[in-house]
Amino acid sequence: MRARLAAGAVPPATFRAELRAVPARDRDAWLDAVLDLDEVPDDGPALERGCVPYLPCAVDTLVRTIELAGVTAADVVVDLGAGVGRATTTLHLATGAAAIGLEVQPALVARAHALVAGVGARRVFTVAGRAEELVARAGCGTVFFLYCPFGGARLSQALAHLEAIARGHPIRVCAVDLPLPPTPWLDQVAADGDLVVHRSRG
């Protein structure tokens, strides 16, 4: 499968079908084998206090994100706290959407770049820096994915930037294991277990 991906021979619908054909309990191992991700890297000194250590998001959650948020090839997915790019790459491969990862740890950003090169994902990018600040420059984003990257003031800052983006065009915010504070400009449109999908008003 990896060689086929690198050669551009796996359309999103085919990748999605092959992923769904794998029993749910085996999907994480299957994906890690396809992407050649053999271990979770250690966090480095760039992980600031108040940020959540890197932990890959479950494949089942990514599948539900695609379905509940209606992610398509027309979208631009932005992952705040992208780690090694597992979620951004998977969402791209399964839908054709462009994807941008924002990650504060340079070592994880380097791993993300290697992952993208290895599978030939030409519409996936990872940017190094603080996600709560960088998201202000992600105005092209239509789906914002937050797998519990941070809380408190950092989350409030990120949400303020997302509100500004939403004034220009509708966005969806997919929060995993992350209850959002009262956010009047967002409406909850779907929820399933650890995943809650919000859509901007207007």
Side-chain angles (χ1 to χ4, degrees):
M1 166 69 88
R2 187 178 175 87
R4 290 163 55 210
L5 288 171
V10 183
T14 300
F15 181 88
R16 201 161 58 247
E18 293 194 24
L19 173 59
R20 286 179 174 154
V22 177
R25 67 181 179 277
D26 299 327
R27 285 176 180 168
D28 283 280
W30 179 87
L31 180 67
D32 288 344
V34 167
L35 300 182
D36 195 23
L37 296 172
D38 54 1
E39 61 183 22
V40 176
D42 293 331
D43 293 298
L47 183 68
E48 300 178 19
R49 187 171 183 170
C51 294
V52 176
Y54 172 64
L55 183 66
C57 186
V59 173
D60 177 64
T61 300
L62 299 177
V63 170
R64 287 183 285 123
T65 296
I66 292 168
E67 295 169 350
L68 295 183
V71 183
T72 72
D75 281 307
V76 177
V77 178
V78 181
D79 183 3
L80 282 71
V84 301
R86 185 177 187 261
T88 49
T89 302
T90 302
L91 291 170
H92 165 71
L93 293 174
T95 67
I100 302 168
L102 309 178
E103 174 54 50
V104 72
Q105 299 193 66
L108 300 188
V109 173
R111 292 278 297 269
H113 291 167
L115 169 59
V116 166
V119 298
R122 294 174 181 82
R123 299 183 70 210
V124 180
F125 311 91
T126 304
V127 182
R130 298 176 64 169
E132 70 273 21
E133 297 173 355
L134 288 175
V135 71
R137 292 187 272 161
C140 61
T142 56
V143 178
F144 292 84
F145 186 75
L146 290 81
Y147 175 30
C148 197
F150 35 59
R154 283 186 169 90
L155 178 58
S156 296
Q157 182 180 359
L159 289 172
H161 290 313
L162 293 180
E163 182 178 12
I165 292 170
R167 293 192 196 108
H169 62 263
I171 66 172
R172 287 97 83 202
V173 177
C174 305
V176 182
D177 283 332
L178 182 65
L180 298 185
T183 312
W185 58 275
L186 282 177
D187 289 322
Q188 180 178 318
V189 294
D192 184 5
D194 58 352
L195 171 65
V196 179
V197 178
H198 307 264
R199 188 180 298 273
S200 61
R201 295 180 178 180

